[in-house]
Amino acid sequence: MSIIWKRAKHISSSPLPKSPVSPGSWSKSLNLPKTAFPARPILEEQQQLLAKCTDRLYRFQQKFAQGPLFVLQDGPPYANGSLHIGHALNKILKDITCRHRLNTGQRVVFRPGWDCHGLPIELKAMQQAGAAKQSLPKENKSAVETRVIARELAARAVEEQRETFKSWAIMADWDNAWTTMDRDYELKQMEVFRRMVAKGLICHKKKPVHWSPSSMTALAEAEIEYHDDHISRAAFVKFSIVGRDSGATAAVEGFDWANVSAVIWTTTPWTLPANRAIAFNSDMTYLVIKTKKHGLLLVAESRVSHLQELLEGEDVLVTSSRVFQGSELSGLTYMHPLRASSISHPLLSASFVSDQSGSGLVHIAPGHGSDDYKLGLAHGLEPFAPVDDRGCYTDEAYPEQPDALSGQAVLNEGNDSVLALLKAQNAIVAVHEYRHKYPYDWRSKTPLIERATGQWFADISNIRDDALKAIEDVKFVPVSGKERLLSFVRGRTEWCISRQRAWGLPIPALYHCETGKPLLTDSSVAHIASVIEDRGVDAWWTDDEFDPAWIPASLLDGHSTPQYRRGRDTLDVWFDSGTSWTQMSTNGEHQVPQPADIYLEGTDQHRGWFQSSLLIYIATQSPVDNSRSLPTAPYKTLVTHGFTLDSTGRKMSKSEGNVISPGEIMNGSLLPKRSGRTPRSTDFYASMGLDILRWWIASVDYTKDVVVNPEVQGNTYNSLVKLRLTFKFLIGLQKPAFQVPTPVFERLCLADQIALSQIRELSQQVRRHCDEFEYYKAVAAIHYYVNVNLSAFYFETLKDRFYADAIGSKSFKDSVAVCWQIFLQLSHVLYPFVPLFVEECAHHMHQQTGMECAPLGWTNPKWDDRMSGWTSAAVEKDAPILFAINAEIKTVQEKARISKEMGSSLQSYVHLEIDTMGGESAGATEGLLAKYATDLDNLFVVSKVSFGASQELPQDLQESKWHHTHDLDITIEGVKQRITIHVYEPSEEKCSRCWKYIVPQETDLEEPVCNRCLQVLGGIIDEKPALFEDRPKIQEASAACKEQQRAADSKATDKGQKAYNVY
């Protein structure tokens, strides 16, 4: 059907007539909604209902739900501090997901967890223990004290966070929650580690790693954030070329290199004491240039102009004697200005050298850079790094003058001291500030260094291809998450899993007491794990250093004292949380399959928990065999949400002072202040409580960053107010002890049929959106349904029948039955989003009617079957046409209101004039309208509706004092037709009870009352005699209607038929 809006015309007008009837005079005879349901939630009452929709519901569904199992694996929050709005976004999205799955009949498994190890808790513990922040607890006594306090801090935070999560109505298995510091969790993690050792995936190396001087530990890539505005003090430094080795080329041999210096450029001058080589690119071209101040300099030809700019106008003369291809520089050696003159270092070819910056020559410090390390490894250069755990130089940095650098922080005064020493040696060509991207510790927000230390690594290169294959079978929401995770995994070769801290699970490595060589084997890890199981993990620190119980028997043979000691490194916390899939193996009485159905976390977890879980899970799987298709990820679906931002779009942080707590949303303090209104108290808006927090989270597109601002909160508040008013009306319509019949769709009036069809469509819409994790679309569909389909349409059509018809009438019973079904179904679709609100509604419905609602959080299998009959082809085809006509009627009525010719929509008649627009029959349209002729006045909420072909205008329309029209073009059954909509003044009196204009002008009653109302009044004439005082004629007419109804009942009974009873 196509609809084209057309012209409107105003025919005539007259002043709006005054009603002679006092509204409400028959109010005690009307069935007005009554309920104790409050306009705002009573928080104390909601708290009493909290357990019903959380703990009790979880246990109930575990016992009775018969559908397939659904497992959501919790990404553990960190057990440190109070929960913020990001936690609320994450946990409530998980809860919505679980409740939706329960709504579809599945049995949900959701075990919450906490990440309890790591640096932030350890630092707090050290502060409480009185330890200085800078001192690393290496001694057993200090480490043990730190661990005891850290465990207490984590346990306290877990309990506080648990209570907050539960107050957000998170339905989960709280009785079986896990933490990474649980004994069972640590033993399972140790077993995972053992399996990786058995596969040769764990190794010990001394190589450069990202090191945090502030945290005094190595960091993995997932613990690093990059700042684009870091400013370094960069320098061009010259190294004197002193000779040639046996591999020198003919070009090198044939040139006089006396007094020539190779110029390097570095953004980290502090690494120069560890310099062991200079790298060039064999494919680049190099020149020797002559300067007045610095003599002869070797640089890349393409970088000469850049260097000249930095020399501040100093003349640069290019020698014309020789141009060198990079490959010809092999064999040259140079002298380091800060090392003994007897020591020379080589120039080496490296493909990573670029002419995009610097001089085209790169200083190589194998102990302070990944590329440097690889080049040095290929040429036998040691990864020398004269820097300690605090990021300060050791005496080895400048052996000739140890005091010149030792103890100085390399990122501060140490860097300046190196430049000063080089300047004293006349080795500085230029110094300048350079803004660039630089790694920072994501916790302390301080710069990192690269430093070669002995660390434990997980070999990712051997499992990376399997991990990439496994990702292909995972569903991503949003789909962009797939490429993000792929990019992180593709870039991984090794994972530094060791941390130099005390609060964590120890890496079960043994070190030879004399050589310091580490020992880590399948059997040694298994042995140590058995001791941990027997003594507890803290015994690793509390037991005597040479306690032989920790050493495998095979290593004790022939030795009076143990030859090995226990290590002090702990596992990366990402390894901790990355083994959380081990907690899926059991769930109380139920065995839980792997992988999980869903992992749901913030988008930052692509490089964190999503990745670590994937890599560890893949690493522990058996080789491909005929019984199982491998590899597989630990999750079938990955759902990611964005960050929470303040109203200006900035990421929330404590340092910025823009953090918003969930409590501020719940108490209403973020809502915009209403103009002209003064709050009665500071908690004026607090009554919305948890509902507004959950409804807001459900309504936002979480796949993007989420902005928290007053405008959005105001819209959420208004939407909730509308929901409460809707349910207040639905509850108020129900009568105490009234037996609600089951509606029979075919026997309902059109409005009721449309209402059931619409709630059925809403249920299907919400399910489709929730199946795809599009919760905000589901909420938008509910919002539209409540405001348009329910409030603006059905409730308007319902009021006359419900208020004015007799309680025993079919129309009344049908409306109550339909509203009961709407209450149940709307509660059902709302339950995942605002369960506490739904429980509150169910509680008041029980108080109102005495009827118990079945648990609303899970599916009654019969509901879907029942709803399948709530539609018909006729309703689906005809309703859109009737809605289009109704919308046009409303448009025309608004013109009459503007002209002050009418108020209520009942104060108008409607005539639909059908024009065939070409001579074709108007039968299709007339047939449609005739089919629903008795329903049209209620459907359009007017006092009378007529229709007919052109030139057949009703007499009262022709004689009306005011009259407005509008044309609507439609296509029905392939025929284009025009309907001219006439809205005009009623020709009859207004009924003083139902307010419809359908009482003949010549009535002799004390006040106008229509026949329908007289029949209803006849049914209550004995029950409410006070209504008829001073109304003897109405009483007489009502009594007559009562006798007529009795006679009809008697006649129908004699014939064995059921009479239609209007009251």
Side-chain angles (χ1 to χ4, degrees):
M1 179 198 76
S2 60
I3 302 171
I4 303 174
W5 302 104
K6 286 292 185 179
R7 60 183 176 81
K9 54 186 177 181
H10 175 244
I11 297 181
S12 63
S13 63
S14 64
L16 183 67
K18 296 181 179 180
S19 172
V21 182
S22 174
S25 57
W26 292 103
S27 61
K28 291 184 179 180
S29 74
L30 299 175
N31 304 315
L32 299 177
K34 296 178 183 178
T35 177
F37 186 75
R40 303 290 182 273
I42 301 172
L43 301 187
E44 294 79 8
E45 181 181 282
Q46 281 199 338
Q47 287 304 306
Q48 296 173 4
L49 298 170
L50 186 61
K52 183 178 181 181
C53 64
T54 53
D55 295 351
R56 285 165 55 188
L57 178 60
Y58 189 87
R59 290 193 293 267
F60 178 89
Q61 63 92 25
Q62 282 285 297
K63 187 174 182 179
F64 293 106
Q66 301 298 315
L69 204 63
F70 172 81
V71 180
L72 190 150
Q73 180 65 16
D74 196 19
Y78 195 61
N80 182 36
S82 301
L83 299 176
H84 52 69
I85 192 63
H87 289 109
L89 175 67
N90 176 264
K91 217 69 166 188
I92 290 174
L93 284 174
K94 291 176 181 176
D95 188 65
I96 291 172
T97 301
C98 288
R99 290 180 185 273
H100 166 64
R101 296 295 174 161
L102 187 56
N103 247 353
T104 61
Q106 293 185 263
R107 178 163 59 84
V108 170
V109 173
F110 179 32
R111 290 184 64 200
W114 276 270
D115 196 352
C116 294
H117 293 138
L119 187 63
I121 296 175
E122 182 171 345
L123 292 178
K124 280 188 176 182
M126 291 170 64
Q127 292 170 7
Q128 288 196 18
K133 293 182 181 179
Q134 291 78 13
S135 63
L136 182 67
K138 289 183 177 178
E139 297 298 329
N140 280 7
K141 184 176 180 181
S142 178
V144 170
E145 187 177 13
T146 298
R147 287 179 61 83
V148 170
I149 298 173
R151 186 177 295 277
E152 293 174 352
L153 289 172
R156 193 180 310 136
V158 166
E159 288 310 309
E160 291 174 358
Q161 291 185 8
R162 185 201 309 265
E163 292 309 308
T164 303
F165 282 137
K166 293 175 75 171
S167 73
W168 294 343
I170 307 301
M171 179 194 69
D173 192 357
W174 296 109
D175 295 335
N176 289 301
W178 53 267
T179 73
T180 57
M181 64 181 182
D182 290 343
R183 180 174 177 274
D184 175 71
Y185 190 100
E186 290 178 329
L187 289 173
K188 288 181 177 178
Q189 184 178 341
M190 192 67 73
E191 171 59 18
V192 168
F193 185 78
R194 184 199 64 76
R195 291 165 65 184
M196 292 180 68
V197 170
K199 291 188 174 186
L201 295 175
I202 306 297
C203 63
H204 189 270
K205 295 180 182 180
K206 183 180 180 181
K207 62 175 291 187
V209 295
H210 284 110
W211 185 273
S212 172
S214 61
S215 301
M216 292 176 290
T217 186
L219 298 181
E221 187 65 30
E223 299 170 295
I224 300 169
E225 60 185 24
Y226 290 87
H227 291 197
D228 294 325
D229 57 353
H230 181 84
I231 297 177
S232 293
R233 196 176 180 198
F236 285 85
V237 182
K238 61 181 183 180
F239 293 80
S240 298
I241 296 176
V242 295
R244 298 170 287 277
D245 61 22
S246 59
T249 64
V252 166
E253 293 287 355
F255 188 82
D256 183 8
W257 293 96
N259 301 318
V260 178
S261 297
V263 177
I264 64 92
W265 177 72
T266 178
T267 61
T268 55
W270 64 265
T271 63
L272 288 170
N275 173 271
R276 290 295 182 268
I278 292 176
F280 58 85
N281 190 313
S282 295
D283 296 327
M284 289 167 50
T285 303
Y286 293 84
L287 298 177
V288 174
I289 61 175
K290 183 177 181 181
T291 68
K292 293 179 180 179
K293 184 176 180 180
H294 302 289
L296 298 174
L297 305 177
L298 175 66
V299 295
E301 181 179 23
S302 58
R303 302 304 297 171
V304 171
S305 59
H306 174 69
L307 182 59
Q308 187 165 8
E309 291 175 5
L310 291 174
L311 292 179
E312 300 177 351
E314 191 175 322
D315 292 334
V316 177
L317 302 176
V318 181
T319 61
S320 58
S321 59
R322 190 74 164 87
V323 176
F324 293 94
Q325 188 66 24
S327 57
E328 296 176 328
L329 299 180
S330 294
L332 286 176
T333 60
Y334 68 93
M335 182 184 69
H336 194 304
L338 300 183
R339 299 196 73 185
S341 58
S342 60
I343 302 175
S344 63
H345 304 289
L347 270 70
L348 304 173
S349 176
S351 60
F352 58 77
V353 177
S354 166
D355 64 354
Q356 298 302 306
S357 61
S359 66
L361 294 172
V362 176
H363 119 77
I364 300 300
H368 291 301
S370 177
D371 288 335
D372 302 41
Y373 170 77
K374 294 174 184 176
L375 183 63
L377 193 64
H379 292 274
L381 304 178
E382 65 166 325
F384 176 61
V387 180
D388 65 16
D389 292 347
R390 297 175 298 122
C392 298
Y393 283 123
T394 65
D395 290 350
E396 295 176 307
Y398 194 15
E400 287 76 6
Q401 300 179 40
D403 293 342
L405 293 177
S406 185
Q408 296 184 24
V410 300
L411 291 176
N412 295 302
E413 67 270 23
N415 198 62
D416 295 337
S417 295
V418 168
L419 290 173
L421 289 171
L422 291 170
K423 186 175 182 180
Q425 297 289 333
N426 195 31
I428 296 294
V429 176
V431 176
H432 64 101
E433 288 190 344
Y434 182 68
R435 186 186 299 270
H436 61 123
K437 189 176 183 179
Y438 195 84
Y440 275 63
D441 185 329
W442 76 324
R443 294 186 182 93
S444 65
K445 309 299 180 185
T446 56
L448 303 178
I449 61 175
E450 282 197 80
R451 173 190 177 223
T453 60
Q455 301 289 342
W456 291 98
F457 295 87
D459 184 2
I460 304 302
S461 60
N462 281 338
I463 60 173
R464 183 176 53 202
D465 289 345
D466 282 347
L468 293 172
K469 291 175 183 176
I471 291 173
E472 294 299 326
D473 294 326
V474 176
K475 177 180 179 179
F476 287 83
V477 179
V479 293
S480 57
K482 179 178 181 179
E483 185 53 41
R484 182 171 169 80
L485 183 57
L486 283 170
S487 67
F488 282 120
V489 175
R490 288 192 197 106
R492 296 294 292 272
T493 56
E494 290 182 323
W495 172 8
C496 179
I497 60 172
S498 51
R499 296 294 179 269
Q500 288 64 55
R501 305 306 305 185
W503 180 229
L505 184 67
I507 292 179
L510 301 173
Y511 293 82
H512 195 275
C513 293
E514 293 183 2
T515 66
K517 184 178 180 180
L519 175 77
L520 188 74
T521 65
D522 180 2
S523 59
S524 69
V525 174
H527 174 79
I528 291 170
S530 68
V531 180
I532 290 177
E533 185 173 9
D534 180 50
R535 300 185 179 186
V537 71
D538 286 338
W540 182 263
W541 283 270
T542 59
D543 284 358
D544 183 82
E545 182 178 6
F546 297 104
D547 188 334
W550 294 95
I551 312 301
S554 60
L555 300 177
L556 292 173
D557 292 344
H559 301 287
S560 58
T561 59
Q563 300 297 300
Y564 289 86
R565 61 174 177 81
R566 301 188 299 280
R568 287 292 177 263
D569 290 342
T570 56
L571 277 166
D572 177 11
V573 291
W574 291 110
F575 198 100
D576 283 7
S577 59
T579 57
S580 64
W581 48 263
T582 60
Q583 300 304 295
M584 292 188 291
S585 59
T586 59
N587 178 51
E589 301 174 357
H590 304 287
Q591 290 296 314
V592 179
Q594 297 177 11
D597 291 284
I598 288 178
Y599 276 32
L600 191 159
E601 296 299 327
T603 185
D604 56 331
Q605 296 307 316
H606 287 109
R607 70 170 187 164
W609 186 57
F610 293 159
Q611 187 180 169
S612 65
S613 299
L614 171 69
L615 295 175
I616 296 172
Y617 192 74
I618 293 292
T620 56
Q621 292 181 48
S622 301
V624 178
D625 55 35
N626 295 328
S627 62
R628 185 177 178 189
S629 176
L630 292 176
T632 59
Y635 33 71
K636 299 174 184 176
T637 300
L638 273 188
V639 181
T640 51
H641 58 77
F643 297 108
T644 51
L645 310 177
D646 67 11
S647 57
T648 64
R650 294 180 303 161
K651 185 178 178 180
M652 294 185 192
S653 68
K654 291 181 180 178
S655 60
E656 293 287 341
N658 63 344
V659 174
I660 295 173
S661 72
E664 291 178 86
I665 294 177
M666 294 166 69
N667 67 27
S669 60
L670 286 185
L671 290 169
K673 301 305 177 185
R674 300 178 181 178
S675 58
R677 265 187 93 168
T678 303
R680 291 170 292 185
S681 66
T682 56
D683 62 347
F684 177 71
Y685 293 106
S687 59
M688 284 304 179
L690 176 61
D691 294 338
I692 194 169
L693 175 65
R694 292 187 62 108
W695 193 238
W696 165 69
I697 288 174
S699 66
V700 298
D701 182 357
Y702 64 84
T703 62
K704 305 172 183 176
D705 288 341
V706 178
V707 177
V708 186
N709 60 36
E711 181 181 357
V712 173
Q713 295 302 313
N715 293 337
T716 306
Y717 179 86
N718 293 333
S719 177
L720 266 180
V721 169
K722 183 65 176 180
L723 268 182
R724 293 193 69 87
L725 291 175
T726 298
F727 273 84
K728 184 180 180 72
F729 186 75
L730 286 170
I731 295 170
L733 293 178
Q734 302 299 320
K735 300 299 179 183
F738 187 81
Q739 295 298 317
V740 179
T742 300
V744 180
F745 187 83
E746 294 77 11
R747 299 177 185 175
L748 298 175
C749 69
L750 177 62
D752 289 342
Q753 287 183 336
I754 291 175
L756 287 182
S757 180
Q758 287 175 336
I759 190 64
R760 171 180 175 271
E761 174 58 27
L762 175 69
S763 297
Q764 294 174 340
Q765 275 185 300
V766 170
R767 178 161 184 170
R768 286 195 301 270
H769 291 316
C770 289
D771 282 347
E772 296 300 320
F773 309 98
E774 298 172 332
Y775 304 130
Y776 64 99
K777 290 184 178 180
V779 169
I782 294 171
H783 181 79
Y784 180 88
Y785 169 81
V786 168
N787 284 276
V788 177
N789 294 340
L790 202 55
S791 181
F793 166 66
Y794 185 61
F795 284 173
E796 287 300 307
T797 71
L798 176 71
K799 289 175 182 177
D800 176 71
R801 291 183 291 137
F802 188 87
Y803 293 177
D805 283 1
I807 291 179
S809 66
K810 178 181 181 300
S811 61
F812 180 87
K813 291 179 179 180
D814 286 349
S815 62
V816 170
V818 170
C819 287
W820 173 252
Q821 295 301 326
I822 291 174
F823 172 84
L824 291 178
Q825 297 303 326
L826 190 54
S827 297
H828 188 64
V829 299
L830 281 169
Y831 204 88
F833 311 115
V834 280
L836 207 53
F837 167 70
V838 174
E839 289 292 351
E840 181 191 7
C841 294
H843 172 70
H844 279 274
M845 181 62 88
H846 174 66
Q847 289 185 326
Q848 176 94 357
T849 65
M851 290 188 293
E852 283 283 1
C853 297
L856 294 169
W858 72 299
T859 294
N860 183 334
K862 296 180 180 179
W863 284 3
D864 288 339
D865 295 338
R866 184 187 306 161
M867 284 196 298
S868 64
W870 290 357
T871 188
S872 69
V875 170
E876 290 182 2
K877 183 183 71 172
D878 298 343
I881 300 172
L882 295 172
F883 282 148
I885 296 172
N886 189 35
E888 279 293 80
I889 291 172
K890 297 293 185 285
T891 300
V892 181
Q893 286 176 332
E894 197 56 35
K895 295 177 182 178
R897 289 192 181 94
I898 293 173
S899 302
K900 300 186 182 301
E901 295 163 335
M902 64 170 281
S904 164
S905 61
L906 291 175
Q907 199 174 351
S908 63
Y909 286 177
V910 170
H911 178 72
L912 305 175
E913 179 187 354
I914 305 168
D915 185 348
T916 59
M917 298 178 65
E920 296 187 40
S921 171
T925 304
E926 282 197 88
L928 169 68
L929 296 174
K931 187 193 313 184
Y932 305 111
T934 57
D935 294 322
L936 293 179
D937 57 344
N938 277 331
L939 198 67
F940 300 151
V941 196
V942 296
S943 289
K944 189 177 77 171
V945 177
S946 58
F947 54 87
S950 301
Q951 311 304 323
E952 297 179 5
L953 300 181
Q955 187 65 32
D956 57 354
L957 168 58
Q958 299 179 41
E959 297 174 356
S960 63
K961 293 181 180 179
W962 59 264
H963 173 204
H964 297 271
T965 66
H966 200 96
D967 291 341
L968 171 67
D969 291 346
I970 65 172
T971 299
I972 181 169
E973 295 184 3
V975 178
K976 292 183 178 180
Q977 298 189 341
R978 171 171 294 168
I979 298 177
T980 299
I981 298 171
H982 300 266
V983 174
Y984 59 101
E985 180 188 37
S987 59
E988 296 186 305
E989 293 285 343
K990 175 183 177 181
C991 173
S992 60
R993 182 173 178 271
C994 69
W995 295 5
K996 277 193 170 184
Y997 286 76
I998 53 175
V999 182
Q1001 296 274 2
E1002 61 276 8
T1003 180
D1004 61 350
L1005 301 176
E1006 290 86 357
E1007 56 194 75
V1009 179
C1010 68
N1011 288 335
R1012 186 267 307 264
C1013 288
L1014 287 174
Q1015 289 180 326
V1016 175
L1017 290 172
I1020 61 173
I1021 197 169
D1022 298 327
E1023 179 185 347
K1024 299 179 180 180
L1027 287 173
F1028 301 93
E1029 292 180 2
D1030 301 323
R1031 292 167 171 160
K1033 293 183 179 180
I1034 293 177
Q1035 183 176 16
E1036 181 181 352
S1038 299
C1041 288
K1042 180 179 180 180
E1043 290 303 319
Q1044 291 176 3
Q1045 184 64 52
R1046 284 178 178 173
D1049 288 347
S1050 176
K1051 185 176 181 181
T1053 301
D1054 292 342
K1055 293 183 177 181
Q1057 299 173 351
K1058 186 175 181 180
Y1060 171 70
N1061 192 339
V1062 297
Y1063 50 84

